[in-house]
Amino acid sequence: MEILTPRDFSVDGRRVLLRADLNVPISDDGSIADDTRIRAVLPTLQYLMSHGARVLVVSHLGRPGGEVVSRYSLRPIKQRLASLLDQPVRLLDGPLTGALSRFVNGTGPGEVALLENIRFQRGERENDPSLARKLASAVDLYVNDAFGAAHRAHASTSAIAEFLPAVGGFLMEKELRILGRLRDDPKHPYAAVLGGAKISDKLQVCRRLLDRVDSLIVGGGLANTFLLALGHSVGNSLVEQDMVSEVQELISASRRSDVDLLMPLDVVVARALSPGAASRVVSSSQIPDGWSIADIGPRTVNRYAKALQGSRTVFWNGPMGIFEMSRFADGTEQIARTVAQLEDAQTVVGGGESTEALKKLNLTSRIDHVSTGGGAALEFLAGGDLPAVRVLHSKAPERGLWVGGNWKMNKTAESAHDLAAGLAERWQKDEPEVVLFPAHPLLHQVGDAIGGSTTLHLGGQDCHWEESGPFTGGTSGRMLRSVGAEYTLVGHSECRRYGGDDDDRINAKVHAAWDAGLSVVLCVGEQQSDREKGRAHERVSEQLRAALRGCEDRLASAEESRIWLIVAYEPVWAIGTGEAASAEDVQDMCSHLRDELGSILNGTSAQLVRIVYGGSVNADNVDEFISLADVDGALVGGASLQVDSFLPLLERVNEMAEDSEK
């Protein structure tokens, strides 16, 4: 997934909420033990500052449970951030409404304010839309650079994207790019090393990894449940009795998948998990009663190291033992050394204790990528869904740009032929895809004029819901296909207003067009009365859902969705009023439409459906709309009626397409 970033927006003078993961370790004396996560967000923050943005940084720290807890205040982070930026940073604490007001009224271009711990707010962890709406009301753009929290659907990472444009920061972009390559095209053999306390936290991930890796290596507390599942006694060790049957099935699944599942051969056990308690190394099948597993043993370390030596890709997440106690850190440190010494493998490490081990041993530079996300990296690499990433606007060059010229009830046979011929002669570029929609009596003349063109296509302005019959004035999909049409408009606002098209008839037309082999340009849009009642989104959702009723078979795959459907948003409320939709209006509605498509189709299909703007567009303003994250083209009216006005518009869209590929 290639997400949009602040580079794709003008941020000069705009208020920007930057969601960061500044959840750094704080020592008992209140100092920051490790500022890696603060430094990781600096490239995005400095870019925003240097481009004149007014930045509100939002982060969590610890788990205060929706209450104000002084030890979880971001005050130490504010001080470190100010030091790293070499400029003042204000901490906005107290009631949220007042804090946001102080940001809006007291933050100038290039200045930074830090909101007090967002988890002091009760609605954060519940993904409360009212909290998200309040945060969004203070800013113009949302930038998420908190990859470490991307697997959480919280108000400041997920719900907020419903209310304003949402893009990723440069750290988020880097994580998704690197981890995406590892997820989609890893080199084999591929080994995953998983540690940590509980298998319940990673069971689903383990299942998905079986389809991707050649070997799965387990250690730490989660390995205890594996040993119990094999029938071994584990003494007083941390174990999840209720997960034994699940782990047994995982072991069986690994055999069916021909994945080498490696479990501890020997372990370090202790009388008590305390610094001075007695400890010794025993076989993993001979753990004495009353003792607890504290680390993997030397035979296990050697076995795991040998297995990793032949790997071309290695992902490590989680400690092999009780790493925070130095006497039980050897297994984790040995794995760190082994992974760091792999010269022929791509190595990726995620998780706080794994990265802490690398840092302690001064091995971080030997790893290809040290992720800022533990659970997020693991979930993403296993093919899981990251809620905070799903809501970000993504670049979709695979959709391609599209421009339609709707000539409406204009032109004669001669002038239509001349216009089409002039375009065919002068327009020879592959992008954008261009479709001409003349009045139906002129289809034959226009088709003849563009017959030899590979860059111009023909479409009908409407399509009857029946294939043939006693329907005076009607034009069926089969008729349109017979004169070379590849597309048809359906549900245009003028057909709804003057032609009596309602939602049921439009649905019938959509299916009739598809049955005839036509791609559908489905027009939707809200009236002024819908806006006044606050139901603009609701109305276009109703239109979209009604029109696409029963679409499952036709739009079964992502590529079919791209081929058979284009959605054109018409701001009907602006027609004939002298008003025009702003870029913000258009992006808001087109983003909503894409989200709605995602609930009708699958997520990938929704991302491939082209959504175009059907308002007032010309060569002077087309880039304002085409540059929007969820707009893939335009349905053009008056500007398409002359070569001298339509051609410059097409040239400008082509320039934008070429720029996006650079």
Side-chain angles (χ1 to χ4, degrees):
M1 177 182 183
E2 189 179 3
I3 58 172
L4 293 177
T5 72
R7 299 187 201 94
D8 299 299
F9 286 77
S10 173
V11 299
D12 185 15
R14 302 182 74 183
R15 296 190 298 271
V16 177
L17 190 156
L18 175 61
R19 180 55 164 97
D21 180 8
L22 308 180
N23 189 27
V24 297
I26 305 292
S27 301
D28 292 339
D29 63 0
S31 63
I32 294 173
D34 181 358
D35 67 0
T36 299
R37 290 188 173 185
I38 301 176
R39 292 178 181 273
V41 78
L42 290 180
T44 302
L45 184 51
Q46 289 169 334
Y47 176 90
L48 293 170
M49 294 165 58
S50 67
H51 285 74
R54 309 162 191 256
V55 186
L56 176 65
V57 179
V58 174
S59 180
H60 66 283
L61 178 65
R63 297 181 178 181
E67 303 287 344
V68 177
V69 181
S70 59
R71 73 174 182 273
Y72 293 129
S73 171
L74 299 190
R75 192 166 299 279
I77 294 171
K78 172 251 185 188
Q79 294 168 350
R80 180 63 59 88
L81 192 58
S83 174
L84 292 170
L85 293 174
D86 194 26
Q87 74 172 53
V89 173
R90 290 185 302 145
L91 180 67
L92 304 176
D93 54 9
L96 182 61
T97 300
L100 294 177
S101 178
R102 294 199 302 276
F103 166 71
V104 170
N105 297 316
T107 308
E111 294 181 351
V112 177
L114 176 64
L115 187 67
E116 183 57 286
N117 194 337
I118 189 62
R119 287 189 181 171
F120 286 177
Q121 306 297 326
R122 288 185 177 274
E124 167 64 2
R125 291 174 66 88
E126 289 74 31
N127 202 21
D128 183 2
S130 63
L131 173 58
R133 185 183 294 109
K134 187 176 289 188
L135 292 169
S137 69
V139 297
D140 306 304
L141 177 68
Y142 170 73
V143 179
N144 191 342
D145 222 14
F147 180 74
H151 56 318
R152 309 295 188 195
H154 292 172
S156 68
T157 64
S158 179
I160 190 171
E162 291 289 326
F163 304 106
L164 75 171
V167 303
F170 302 144
L171 174 62
M172 181 75 76
E173 179 187 43
K174 177 184 177 182
E175 292 273 14
L176 294 177
R177 182 180 69 251
I178 294 174
L179 296 177
R181 288 199 298 264
L182 184 61
R183 180 194 62 187
D184 299 333
D185 190 25
K187 295 179 180 178
H188 291 271
Y190 179 4
V193 184
L194 300 185
K198 297 189 293 183
I199 183 58
S200 57
D201 293 338
K202 296 178 178 176
L203 182 64
Q204 294 299 328
V205 168
C206 286
R207 287 172 174 159
R208 291 197 296 267
L209 280 173
L210 292 182
D211 295 327
R212 299 170 182 270
V213 302
D214 301 290
S215 58
L216 181 61
I217 299 171
V218 298
L222 67 84
N224 300 345
T225 306
F226 280 81
L227 297 178
L228 190 63
L230 293 176
H232 301 328
S233 171
V234 294
N236 286 351
S237 305
L238 172 68
V239 73
E240 294 177 278
Q241 292 277 358
D242 59 336
M243 299 300 296
V244 168
S245 61
E246 301 277 2
V247 171
Q248 288 172 335
E249 172 53 32
L250 183 67
I251 293 171
S252 298
S254 70
R255 293 171 182 151
R256 293 193 299 269
S257 301
D258 198 27
V259 171
D260 194 8
L261 176 58
L262 302 184
M263 294 170 278
L265 298 173
D266 62 343
V267 292
V268 177
V269 295
R271 276 283 190 189
L273 300 179
S274 58
S279 64
R280 67 186 194 212
V281 176
V282 299
S283 168
S284 59
S285 62
Q286 297 177 347
I287 297 165
D289 293 342
W291 292 62
S292 299
I293 299 173
D295 197 6
I296 58 174
R299 287 176 57 215
T300 302
V301 168
N302 290 336
R303 185 188 188 202
Y304 288 3
K306 184 176 180 181
L308 292 172
Q309 290 298 333
S311 300
R312 298 291 307 283
T313 300
V314 173
F315 174 68
W316 173 32
N317 180 291
M320 297 291 100
I322 306 174
F323 174 73
E324 59 269 26
M325 299 179 66
S326 59
R327 62 188 301 222
F328 302 130
D330 185 65
T332 301
E333 293 178 359
Q334 292 292 350
I335 292 298
R337 292 187 179 95
T338 298
V339 174
Q341 291 168 2
L342 298 175
E343 295 183 355
D344 296 327
Q346 181 185 11
T347 53
V348 176
V349 177
E353 289 166 309
S354 302
T355 56
E356 186 181 342
L358 292 170
K359 190 170 298 184
K360 175 183 175 182
L361 300 171
N362 198 28
L363 295 173
T364 303
S365 63
R366 301 287 300 275
I367 303 299
D368 292 321
H369 179 59
V370 178
S371 176
T372 57
L378 186 58
E379 185 73 22
F380 184 74
L381 287 176
D385 179 53
L386 299 183
V389 174
R390 183 178 65 242
V391 299
L392 299 179
H393 295 307
S394 61
K395 298 177 182 177
E398 67 273 16
R399 291 199 296 258
L401 295 176
W402 184 96
V403 173
N406 181 11
W407 296 357
K408 304 190 178 185
M409 199 170 70
N410 291 290
K411 301 297 180 183
T412 63
E414 182 179 1
S415 62
H417 182 279
D418 290 347
L419 173 55
L423 290 169
E425 179 182 356
R426 298 173 62 182
W427 181 252
Q428 305 293 331
K429 297 178 180 178
D430 292 329
E431 195 167 14
E433 181 180 358
V434 181
V435 183
L436 305 180
F437 294 91
H440 286 176
L442 309 178
L443 282 164
H444 187 74
Q445 288 84 356
V446 174
D448 281 348
I450 67 172
S453 173
T454 60
T455 57
L456 296 174
H457 306 270
L458 188 63
Q461 293 183 6
D462 195 15
C463 174
H464 201 277
W465 61 91
E466 294 288 353
E467 184 176 320
S468 62
F471 302 100
T472 302
T475 304
S476 70
R478 185 175 63 174
M479 293 174 178
L480 293 174
R481 287 294 290 159
S482 71
V483 294
E486 302 172 56
Y487 289 84
T488 184
L489 304 178
V490 175
H492 193 278
S493 59
E494 290 154 4
C495 294
R496 293 177 190 261
R497 181 177 182 182
Y498 303 117
D501 278 3
D502 58 17
D503 289 341
D504 290 336
R505 182 185 291 181
I506 289 168
N507 177 254
K509 288 183 174 184
V510 166
H511 285 278
W514 284 340
D515 289 343
L518 293 167
S519 295
V520 170
V521 181
L522 174 64
C523 302
V524 297
E526 81 278 29
Q527 303 277 352
Q528 179 61 31
S529 59
D530 297 317
R531 291 168 64 87
E532 292 171 353
K533 295 174 183 176
R535 63 185 307 272
H537 282 182
E538 183 180 349
R539 180 58 188 134
V540 297
S541 294
E542 291 169 351
Q543 293 173 346
L544 190 68
R545 287 184 173 276
L548 297 182
R549 224 173 26 241
C551 70
E552 294 81 5
D553 291 340
R554 178 66 62 177
L555 307 181
S557 71
E559 187 57 28
E560 286 174 315
S561 299
R562 181 187 176 279
I563 292 171
W564 293 108
L565 179 65
I566 291 173
V567 177
Y569 165 58
E570 297 181 274
V572 183
W573 56 271
I575 296 175
T577 66
E579 295 186 58
S582 68
E584 289 76 15
D585 290 330
V586 175
Q587 172 57 28
D588 172 71
M589 189 59 76
C590 291
S591 174
H592 172 72
L593 284 168
R594 195 168 304 285
D595 290 343
E596 198 69 15
L597 283 168
S599 67
I600 299 171
L601 313 173
N602 63 57
T604 304
S605 295
Q607 288 300 316
L608 282 175
V609 171
R610 287 174 286 189
I611 299 176
V612 302
Y613 176 50
S616 179
V617 181
N618 55 50
D620 294 329
N621 70 1
V622 67
D623 54 348
E624 180 181 3
F625 299 106
I626 299 292
S627 64
L628 298 173
D630 285 296
V631 177
D632 306 302
L635 181 61
V636 184
S640 70
L641 295 177
Q642 302 293 331
V643 173
D644 290 343
S645 57
F646 198 31
L647 197 63
L649 184 153
L650 298 179
E651 292 285 2
R652 181 66 191 120
V653 177
N654 176 260
E655 290 172 7
M656 297 181 69
E658 291 180 346
D659 288 344
S660 70
E661 295 173 359
K662 293 179 180 178

